Amino acid sequence: MTLMNDKVHAYKDQIGALSDVLPDVVKSYHEFTGECFQPGVLDAKTKQLIALGIGLFANNEVCTFYHVEEARSKGATDQEIMETVAVAGAVGGGHALSQGAMRVQKALH
């Protein structure tokens, strides 16, 4: 857990430093993402699990750590988090397979 916390804190520190250079951009980003993650038709936990799946698919380590932490803080269980991992794996595998079926087969013919 220390590695996870260290990386998330390093990201937050760097965002803080970026706000010294681009304050309006960072402020706008935080306002936008803050609004996106507010409960609506989807609750906050579900939104964090979606973000985790996208972070995994994008191979973004900091996002993965951050959204595990956030999903837990919103009440996600270990089982819900691991099911999110499985869905991200299915999407990632499906992505590669669909591209192989479409692009690669087309390139071969």
Side-chain angles (χ1 to χ4, degrees):
M1 292 299 258
T2 303
L3 175 65
M4 181 174 89
N5 291 335
D6 290 348
K7 291 196 177 216
V8 169
H9 289 293
Y11 164 75
K12 289 179 179 180
D13 290 344
Q14 291 304 310
I15 288 293
L18 182 61
S19 69
D20 293 339
V21 178
L22 298 169
D24 293 339
V25 170
V26 173
K27 180 179 181 247
S28 296
Y29 174 76
H30 284 304
E31 288 172 356
F32 173 70
T33 58
E35 185 62 32
C36 290
F37 281 93
Q38 289 299 309
V41 175
L42 296 175
D43 62 32
K45 176 179 80 172
T46 301
K47 290 181 177 188
Q48 289 299 329
L49 292 171
I50 291 167
L52 171 59
I54 293 168
L56 288 165
F57 184 79
N59 196 29
N60 185 321
E61 182 181 43
V62 172
C63 258
T64 299
F65 290 156
Y66 179 81
H67 291 294
V68 165
E69 188 177 280
E70 286 297 308
R72 279 194 161 160
S73 78
K74 305 293 188 256
T77 65
D78 289 355
Q79 185 66 28
E80 289 171 318
I81 290 168
M82 292 310 297
E83 285 187 21
T84 300
V85 170
V87 170
V91 170
H95 174 72
L97 187 61
S98 69
Q99 294 308 304
M102 301 294 292
R103 290 183 186 169
V104 175
Q105 287 190 109
K106 187 174 183 176
L108 293 174
H109 301 293

